[in-house]
Amino acid sequence: MSLSNCAVERAFIGAGCNRIVNNVSWGASNLVAFGANNAVAIFCPQKALIFTTLPGHKAAVNCTYWLPTSNIEPLVIRKAQQLGQHYLLSGDADGTIILWAVSLTDKKWRQVLTVPQPHKKGVTCISGIMFSSTEAIFASTSSDGTVNIWEIILPVTAQGDCKLSHLESLFVGSKTMVTLALAELPDNTGHVVLAMGGLDNKIHLYCGERTGKFVRACELKGHSDWIRSLDFSLPIGKNGAGETLLLVSSSQDKSIRIWKMVIRETSDDPERKGVIGLASYIEGPLFVYGLATYQISLESLLIGHEDWVYSVQWQPPITSTEGRGYLQPQSILSASMDKTMMIWKPESTSGIWMNVVTVGELSHCALGFYGGHWDPNGDAILAHGYGGSFHLWKNVGIDSENWQPQKVPSGHFAAVSDIVWARSGKFLLSVSHDQTTRIFAPWLTHTGDRCSWHEIARPQVHGHDINCVTAIQGKGNHRFVSGADEKVARVFEAPLSFLKTLNCAVSQESDVPENIQLDVQILGANMSALGLSQKPIYVHAAQESIERPDTEVVDTLETVPEAVPVTLTEPPIEEQLAWHTLWPETHKLYGHGNELFSLCCDHEGKLVASSCKAQTTSVAEIWLWQVGSWKAVGRLQSHSLTVTQMEFSHDDSLLLSVSRDRQFSVFSIERKGVDEISYELLSRQEAHKRIIWACSWNPFGHEFATGSRDKTVKLWSVVNKSSVKHLSTLPPFSCSVTALSWLGIDRQNNHGLLAVGLENGSIELWGLSAKLEDGCMATVGFTVNVVAKFDPFMCHASTVQRLAWRNSEKVEDCKSNQLASCGADNCVRVFEVNVSHC
């Protein structure tokens, strides 16, 4: 029997946002785009779910921009929606810009084109303007000192081609521009104004035609530090005449300036000509373009933020009550590194601009915001922060404004190095080079009819990049061991608050069994000042009220606020995750001489194996630790370089390890007493021509697979626990094999499914059908066939670091099984694999 095709569906994507300005864009489609390393991620704010990621960039994504955006005329947006497609531009750190298209009906994405003549260095900002539902101009700026301007003609049908033409390149010199804004000049003649700001503290205005020919118009001086954000309003005028254009700018000087551009009747003003006085400074510069003369003046100076203001944005226009035309709300959103977003509006009587709404994170959970964005309706605002996190507030007030935080997707903001399923597959643990450990789990809705995946805890926030993790199996409380760029492995145990939260996620009830409540006397954990060890908060201590003197400073950079662990009755938001869901550290495991690299636990929860980075045989030894006493009970020597992955066989009698030295080793493990084990090296073979990155045991026997940089996967069998025999080799892959995970399908016939992760982010499923020796059940080989190659829009955009099946054996009454993966694209993914007809 050979395995047929498998149906694969996307169940969950967790990812954090790249920590850079201009990385996020909220389009008129009500979808948010952001860069997650070299992938472009798309999420829906209403559902708090990441829909998909777009592979194509080779470097980190710096900026995104929707066509149409929400800050254009509503009539143009409606016409664009009738065409059934929206478009997205994304620019990366290599200077490449890609145009994507999404169908509004089936939400399917495709890569339309890569913009030719890329920048020589990273793209820092993309901005555009749509003249109609099919005509647009966009500009991009880069640290190479150039600003490129393009015209794009969008197709009327989904099958049509986009026409892209390069209009002009402007060289701005060594002091590069980091922000751009485009608008039509208020003269109804199709002239375009381009504003750019950057490192010279000035705003530069260029004017041009739709066909290009941009000329310098004037400079706006006033800011005393880098210009970080610019945004034009739609023209504001009497009776819809469009006589005034407003430009808002923000800077690292902590201020926001609003500039007003109006048409002057004539430039030959006898009172103005040749006179340089106070009035000329207040009125601002004049410039002539076409047949019109424009005057720019400083409308208002907004002071309120206490740190760099990274973004400013006008509230999107709304359709007028008559249904014709639009209204441009006099409302500006600003986001700053002082951890706040502010909404500014002019006071009704005096017209003075005031801060009317302030939202933000006023504790140590966030280190500032890189950008703020309006939703298309103007009733929700989104920020992305230093920790790769999103923060969403929605105005839920009826008679008055009431901005309340909302759920958003979350995830790691650096490469995810390892994942592991907890006991019984109740939740998924992931660790990352962003120095955090996170827990993702399905959360049952209040109706109880479906689950949606969310990050429900952040048990470890560390001071070093975390490389590996393993969950302790067997009975007892949930525990895990993590290893980072340090010589110590750290053991963590679930606090009572997490156990209640997990119970609530699974069954909507927060009560846990009384015996567990008696055993677990730790409610949560506090972070230490140096960010390494996490101290427990005991149940009886949390119940005592601690009175602080009024003079004591609670929230400063020098103090660390105490966590308040609580039982969560709904998926948590970032402020809760970042501080109040820590697990206490119970033990430290000392022994290794270098940074830890790999961890694994046996299936009974009795032994943990660990390895570290190594270049000699003595340092490359594998340490065995007794769970509970946490004593070192074994030091296994075999490899000469770093052991990259280890795994116990499913009967826990064998330990498999693979290494950079191109060899695998199989050790026999035998328990002789409570604290005593014996071990022996059964076999060591140079199995591949390059580094071996991955290994996985067959759940039904002593067969295992190894995957290597030499682009091959080989299948092996341990014979009589004395030697290892090579069974077969899968056909060569297109690039390095970096992750493997074996799922058992049919125990009687020894059939399985091998998940293979590649360096380019692809994932494949291979069916393995055992060939049994006549007269006995010994496996002499496997018949292999590929049963699924994941869609590129489902896969990672860079190296797959680890694969893990939720249950290593197919559950009989379950039609599908879940495969988890993590990658260098900052993403944790869970797939539903339908194995009912495999």
Side-chain angles (χ1 to χ4, degrees):
M1 181 185 112
S2 63
L3 302 182
S4 59
N5 293 334
C6 286
V8 180
E9 294 181 359
R10 183 191 301 110
F12 170 71
I13 302 174
C17 181
N18 290 344
R19 300 190 292 178
I20 192 167
V21 187
N22 302 320
N23 187 249
V24 176
S25 178
W26 197 335
S29 59
N30 223 344
L31 296 176
V32 175
F34 66 94
N37 199 349
N38 64 320
V40 181
I42 309 295
F43 87 81
C44 174
Q46 285 74 29
K47 297 183 179 179
L49 296 174
I50 298 177
F51 281 161
T52 188
T53 54
L54 313 179
H57 288 283
K58 304 300 181 186
V61 176
N62 285 348
C63 49
T64 57
Y65 189 83
W66 283 94
L67 291 173
T69 59
S70 56
N71 62 350
I72 62 174
E73 290 190 36
L75 180 61
V76 176
I77 294 176
R78 287 197 299 270
K79 289 184 177 179
Q81 288 173 336
Q82 290 172 1
L83 299 179
Q85 290 197 118
H86 280 210
Y87 296 85
L88 177 70
L89 290 158
S90 58
D92 67 24
D94 280 347
T96 303
I97 299 174
I98 296 178
L99 177 68
W100 312 85
V102 58
S103 168
L104 298 180
T105 53
D106 57 12
K107 295 293 187 290
K108 287 191 176 179
W109 285 82
R110 62 187 176 92
Q111 182 176 328
V112 179
L113 55 85
T114 299
V115 175
Q117 302 175 24
H119 289 282
K120 296 177 182 177
K121 293 184 179 179
V123 182
T124 54
C125 182
I126 299 174
S127 184
I129 177 175
M130 292 194 74
F131 304 108
S132 70
S133 58
T134 57
E135 298 175 280
I137 286 177
F138 72 88
S140 61
T141 183
S142 165
S143 47
D144 64 6
T146 61
V147 175
N148 290 339
I149 305 168
W150 300 82
E151 180 188 40
I152 184 168
I153 306 298
L154 303 174
V156 179
T157 62
Q159 291 75 29
D161 295 328
C162 289
K163 296 180 181 178
L164 186 70
S165 54
H166 179 246
L167 298 182
E168 198 163 355
S169 290
L170 304 174
F171 182 69
V172 296
S174 59
K175 293 196 172 181
T176 57
M177 300 293 110
V178 296
T179 180
L180 302 172
L182 280 160
E184 286 190 89
L185 281 170
D187 58 3
N188 296 318
T189 58
H191 295 154
V192 179
V193 57
L194 168 65
M196 59 179 76
L199 279 57
D200 62 357
N201 310 344
K202 302 172 187 175
I203 301 170
H204 303 267
L205 295 184
Y206 287 76
C207 294
E209 310 283 340
R210 290 191 186 183
T211 55
K213 302 176 183 176
F214 280 80
V215 296
R216 181 187 292 271
C218 66
E219 295 177 351
L220 303 180
K221 300 177 182 178
H223 287 292
S224 58
D225 208 334
W226 293 7
I227 313 294
R228 296 312 306 234
S229 183
L230 296 167
D231 193 32
F232 279 110
S233 70
L234 287 184
I236 302 168
K238 299 175 182 177
N239 302 320
E243 296 176 351
T244 303
L245 194 64
L246 295 177
L247 171 67
V248 61
S249 62
S250 70
S251 166
Q252 290 182 184
D253 64 9
K254 309 176 188 177
S255 71
I256 301 166
R257 291 172 180 258
I258 302 174
W259 310 84
K260 182 170 71 172
M261 182 188 300
V262 296
I263 300 177
R264 284 180 65 101
E265 296 300 326
T266 174
S267 60
D268 299 326
D269 189 341
E271 296 182 3
R272 173 77 182 253
K273 200 170 184 179
V275 177
I276 301 178
L278 180 61
S280 64
Y281 282 103
I282 296 173
E283 291 176 351
L286 289 170
F287 68 90
V288 179
Y289 188 76
L291 302 176
T293 301
Y294 301 90
Q295 180 171 25
I296 302 178
S297 58
L298 180 64
E299 173 76 4
S300 188
L301 174 63
L302 312 183
I303 304 292
H305 286 292
E306 298 176 357
D307 209 333
W308 297 355
V309 185
Y310 266 141
S311 84
V312 283
Q313 190 179 72
W314 288 97
Q315 182 177 334
I318 57 177
T319 305
S320 63
T321 53
E322 294 83 10
R324 291 176 291 178
Y326 62 87
L327 297 174
Q328 171 65 65
Q330 294 294 283
S331 180
I332 293 171
L333 175 67
S334 62
S336 167
M337 284 299 282
D338 66 4
K339 311 176 191 174
T340 65
M341 283 201 300
M342 295 182 179
I343 298 176
W344 306 81
K345 292 181 180 181
E347 207 267 329
S348 56
T349 54
S350 65
I352 297 175
W353 284 78
M354 305 287 289
N355 166 29
V356 295
V357 174
T358 301
V359 296
E361 179 44 51
L362 302 177
S363 76
H364 286 64
C365 298
L367 292 173
F369 295 145
Y370 278 116
H373 307 271
W374 291 98
D375 92 322
N377 300 320
D379 60 1
I381 52 178
L382 176 74
H384 63 104
Y386 181 84
S389 57
F390 287 106
H391 306 257
L392 178 67
W393 287 269
K394 186 177 179 64
N395 183 13
V396 297
I398 300 174
D399 298 326
S400 60
E401 293 192 359
N402 180 15
W403 295 84
Q404 293 296 321
Q406 307 292 311
K407 293 192 292 289
V408 286
S410 62
H412 294 283
F413 58 90
V416 187
S417 46
D418 202 0
I419 52 172
V420 64
W421 288 100
R423 183 178 69 247
S424 305
K426 285 189 174 181
F427 56 86
L428 182 67
L429 268 163
S430 63
V431 295
S432 164
H433 292 166
D434 68 3
Q435 304 183 350
T436 66
T437 301
R438 303 179 189 232
I439 291 177
F440 300 94
W443 194 290
L444 198 65
T445 58
H446 291 293
T447 56
D449 56 350
R450 67 180 184 88
C451 291
S452 60
W453 281 79
H454 299 275
E455 182 182 350
I456 66 167
R458 203 166 297 170
Q460 185 184 11
V461 179
H462 202 42
H464 297 286
D465 294 1
I466 309 177
N467 299 321
C468 49
V469 67
T470 188
I472 307 301
Q473 305 298 324
K475 299 178 181 179
N477 192 11
H478 291 287
R479 290 171 291 178
F480 72 88
V481 185
S482 68
D485 277 344
E486 55 178 348
K487 303 173 185 179
V488 185
R490 298 174 185 269
V491 184
F492 296 84
E493 184 167 343
L496 190 59
S497 59
F498 172 79
L499 297 176
K500 291 183 176 181
T501 297
L502 183 63
N503 210 46
C504 190
V506 173
S507 63
Q508 291 294 308
E509 295 179 3
S510 60
D511 294 332
V512 297
E514 190 173 338
N515 61 328
I516 294 181
Q517 293 201 40
L518 293 173
D519 292 340
V520 182
Q521 291 297 308
I522 297 175
L523 188 62
N526 269 318
M527 174 60 67
S528 66
L530 294 178
L532 293 175
S533 297
Q534 294 167 192
K535 307 299 183 185
I537 301 173
Y538 292 96
V539 173
H540 61 82
Q543 293 170 351
E544 298 173 3
S545 59
I546 303 172
E547 295 184 3
R548 297 179 181 271
D550 293 338
T551 57
E552 185 176 348
V553 178
V554 177
D555 189 25
T556 68
L557 291 176
E558 290 77 23
T559 62
V560 179
E562 290 191 357
V564 185
V566 295
T567 302
L568 302 169
T569 57
E570 58 182 19
I573 58 175
E574 177 66 24
E575 287 71 24
Q576 296 167 315
L577 285 169
W579 204 252
H580 305 305
T581 60
L582 295 172
W583 288 21
E585 180 184 311
T586 59
H587 292 87
K588 295 181 180 69
L589 309 183
Y590 295 96
H592 286 289
N594 285 332
E595 299 91 337
L596 289 177
F597 196 82
S598 178
L599 287 164
C600 74
C601 178
D602 67 0
H603 297 82
E604 287 188 20
K606 301 289 180 63
L607 283 177
V608 168
S610 63
S611 70
C612 70
K613 296 178 182 178
Q615 292 184 322
T616 62
T617 302
S618 60
V619 179
E621 62 187 4
I622 298 167
W623 285 59
L624 296 179
W625 309 88
Q626 185 82 40
V627 173
S629 66
W630 297 110
K631 294 178 181 178
V633 293
R635 295 168 68 172
L636 285 58
Q637 285 196 0
S638 176
H639 297 285
S640 58
L641 294 174
T642 305
V643 174
T644 54
Q645 189 177 357
M646 303 172 290
E647 190 172 302
F648 285 93
S649 62
H650 284 258
D651 61 3
D652 292 334
S653 64
L654 301 172
L655 174 63
L656 168 67
S657 63
V658 294
S659 167
R660 287 179 177 271
D661 63 10
R662 309 174 186 179
Q663 298 179 336
F664 69 74
S665 298
V666 178
F667 301 88
S668 66
I669 307 292
E670 184 180 350
R671 294 173 182 82
K672 289 190 173 181
V674 178
D675 292 329
E676 189 178 349
I677 66 164
S678 64
Y679 47 87
E680 180 187 358
L681 176 63
L682 294 183
S683 177
R684 180 177 66 230
Q685 290 190 30
E686 185 166 333
H688 293 269
K689 297 177 182 177
R690 304 290 297 276
I691 293 172
I692 307 177
W693 284 122
C695 62
S696 185
W697 284 100
N698 176 8
F700 298 150
H702 287 164
E703 298 83 30
F704 63 89
T706 56
S708 166
R709 183 180 279 175
D710 65 8
K711 306 178 183 179
T712 63
V713 172
K714 295 183 179 182
L715 304 178
W716 311 80
S717 177
V718 180
V719 181
N720 299 324
K721 290 192 178 181
S722 59
S723 62
V724 175
K725 181 177 70 172
H726 178 237
L727 297 179
S728 56
T729 302
L730 271 63
F733 292 87
S734 59
C735 58
S736 300
V737 177
T738 55
L740 295 172
S741 187
W742 196 321
L743 171 71
I745 297 292
D746 182 355
R747 179 179 291 274
Q748 184 176 357
N749 296 303
N750 198 7
H751 291 170
L753 200 60
L754 184 66
V756 181
L758 305 178
E759 190 177 35
N760 63 5
S762 300
I763 299 174
E764 299 182 8
L765 297 181
W766 286 75
L768 307 178
S769 300
K771 292 184 283 187
L772 303 179
E773 189 174 352
D774 293 338
C776 67
M777 296 301 292
T779 299
V780 296
F782 281 95
T783 302
V784 301
N785 66 300
V786 60
V787 294
K789 291 188 177 182
F790 289 19
D791 187 296
F793 287 92
M794 272 191 185
C795 294
H796 293 273
S798 51
T799 306
V800 180
Q801 305 275 38
R802 192 75 77 225
L803 293 168
W805 292 99
R806 189 171 187 177
N807 296 294
S808 59
E809 298 181 27
K810 179 189 172 185
V811 181
E812 292 299 327
D813 59 350
C814 184
K815 291 186 178 180
S816 67
N817 213 308
Q818 290 183 323
L819 174 68
S821 68
C822 67
D825 60 356
N826 308 359
C827 292
V828 173
R829 300 168 189 263
V830 179
F831 304 96
E832 293 278 357
V833 180
N834 191 326
V835 293
S836 60
H837 50 78
C838 284

